[in-house]
Amino acid sequence: MRISLKQLEIFLAVYHRGSTVAAAKQVFLSQSAISMALAELEKQLDTTLFQRVAKRLIPTQQAHLLSPLASNALKQVEQIEYLFNLKVERLVIGASTTIANYLLPRLIRDFQQQHPNIDIRLAIFNSSDVCQGLLNYDYDVGFIEGENPFVELKASKWMDDEMVLFAATHSRFVPAHKTLKSIRELESIPLILREIGSGTRSFVQRHLLQYLERSAVIELGNSEAIKQAVINDLGVGCLSRFALEDLLALGKIKILTIEQSEPLRRPLYLLENKQSTHSEAYQTFVDFAFNYRFDGMTSV
């Protein structure tokens, strides 16, 4: 069965006008052409769409069912034509939570000021879900905080991120001078961390938790929940410094350091599916992302 858009247009004209004569004037065809197209459509659908009463065509229940579907089909075609006539290109980005919430909004804003013809959609998931989405061709490009576990994906280091321990400004758990003498002091403090599967949690597991003999962990599903828990002095959190800019500016938290410990830095990665065919919009965005500057920090 091959129903044409012209048949649907003719059907709707007859449906709304009530006769082939009026429909012919609307779509600029002869009355006989209208009748032939309508008869062919009824044959293809194996149904009767109109009852012939005198000079009027009365829609059947099948016609009432078809009408909204035909209208939507024609509207979607109009949207496709409009979109491609505008030469708008679409780019779908999958990004892990920290990158999507605290880095990409400003990057996308500045990118679209230079490239208003590229429409961007941003999907936010944890790192493992972003990788899976790229494997399923859901995204054109991905950004994650953890390592890439899939050989089907190509990972390029995008930039460095600093992870920091932080507490409420007047926390009951940490000293006023903000410095811990040893990482082992964290064993007696509740740690408020992201969920397993997130890039942030994987990093904390490797660089902090594995050095503790015991730890009390409160697990929360997003960075904003962790920030609120820390503000209310439920424990100590560990997040990207980018995620804490607002609270630091308001004086609601303090950054903690550990004596004789190096800063906790992690790479952020841009991912692509090796089998994907990339558009010009993709390459334009990737070039922009690698040259973008975040308040003194540079892309790699």
Side-chain angles (χ1 to χ4, degrees):
M1 179 189 301
R2 290 190 177 182
I3 299 172
S4 70
L5 295 174
K6 195 63 178 179
Q7 283 176 307
L8 295 180
E9 182 185 9
I10 290 170
F11 161 75
L12 287 172
V14 175
Y15 181 85
H16 291 295
R17 295 288 184 171
S19 73
T20 55
V21 174
K25 292 179 180 179
Q26 179 176 318
V27 298
F28 304 103
L29 290 173
S30 67
Q31 184 180 354
S32 60
I34 296 292
S35 298
M36 288 177 60
L38 201 56
E40 182 63 24
L41 180 60
E42 289 181 322
K43 181 179 178 182
Q44 288 174 302
L45 296 177
D46 191 23
T47 192
T48 299
L49 295 173
F50 297 95
Q51 296 290 345
R52 279 73 177 172
V53 179
K55 294 184 178 181
R56 297 286 298 170
L57 294 178
I58 308 301
T60 64
Q61 288 302 316
Q62 296 303 315
H64 291 314
L65 288 175
L66 179 59
S67 175
L69 298 175
S71 295
N72 287 337
L74 292 177
K75 286 177 182 177
Q76 288 179 336
V77 170
E78 289 176 1
Q79 290 172 352
I80 291 171
E81 291 175 341
Y82 176 75
L83 180 64
F84 283 88
N85 285 337
L86 287 178
K87 302 301 181 185
V88 173
E89 297 182 85
R90 175 167 292 180
L91 197 64
V92 182
I93 301 170
S96 55
T97 308
T98 297
I99 297 173
N101 286 334
Y102 306 107
L103 293 174
L104 288 185
R106 66 184 92 170
L107 184 152
I108 291 172
R109 175 201 63 197
D110 293 345
F111 176 78
Q112 290 195 312
Q113 286 179 349
Q114 296 185 25
H115 304 280
N117 61 317
I118 299 178
D119 183 33
I120 290 181
R121 296 289 183 268
L122 177 61
I124 305 173
F125 294 99
N126 66 32
S127 293
S128 60
D129 290 335
V130 171
C131 290
Q132 194 60 54
L134 281 165
L135 291 175
N136 294 336
Y137 300 96
D138 294 332
Y139 316 127
D140 298 299
V141 62
F143 291 89
I144 64 169
E145 301 148 30
E147 298 291 334
N148 165 38
F150 297 101
V151 296
E152 298 91 344
L153 303 179
K154 176 184 176 183
S156 303
K157 183 179 177 182
W158 178 40
M159 62 182 295
D160 287 313
D161 180 30
E162 183 183 2
M163 298 291 293
V164 295
L165 292 164
F166 67 105
T169 302
H170 303 292
S171 175
R172 57 191 160 135
F173 296 109
V174 297
H177 51 71
K178 309 178 186 179
T179 301
L180 304 178
K181 296 185 180 299
S182 166
I183 193 173
R184 300 292 296 274
E185 288 188 43
L186 294 174
E187 293 177 350
S188 61
I189 302 173
L191 298 178
I192 307 172
L193 304 175
R194 284 286 307 278
E195 79 285 0
I196 293 174
S198 71
T200 296
R201 178 60 177 269
S202 297
F203 181 89
V204 172
Q205 190 73 40
R206 290 196 307 272
H207 295 275
L208 285 178
L209 294 185
Q210 71 164 327
Y211 299 111
L212 305 180
E213 290 186 0
R214 56 186 175 83
S215 58
V217 173
I218 301 174
E219 187 175 286
L220 298 176
N222 62 72
S223 299
E224 289 303 311
I226 292 174
K227 290 161 65 175
Q228 290 302 314
V230 170
I231 289 173
N232 287 282
D233 204 19
L234 298 183
V236 167
C238 185
L239 290 174
S240 164
R241 184 180 285 272
F242 283 115
L244 303 175
E245 290 178 347
D246 55 343
L247 297 187
L248 287 169
L250 294 171
K252 291 187 175 183
I253 60 169
K254 57 187 176 185
I255 302 298
L256 308 179
T257 57
I258 302 172
E259 287 187 2
Q260 299 181 339
S261 292
E262 295 293 325
L264 297 174
R265 296 193 181 277
R266 63 176 179 175
L268 305 180
Y269 293 98
L270 184 149
L271 297 183
E272 61 179 288
N273 189 315
K274 294 178 181 178
Q275 300 301 316
S276 292
T277 301
H278 298 307
S279 64
E280 184 177 341
Y282 165 89
Q283 194 58 56
T284 300
F285 178 81
V286 168
D287 290 344
F288 186 89
F290 274 111
N291 288 288
Y292 194 75
R293 303 292 183 268
F294 287 97
D295 299 333
M297 297 189 72
T298 60
S299 300
V300 179

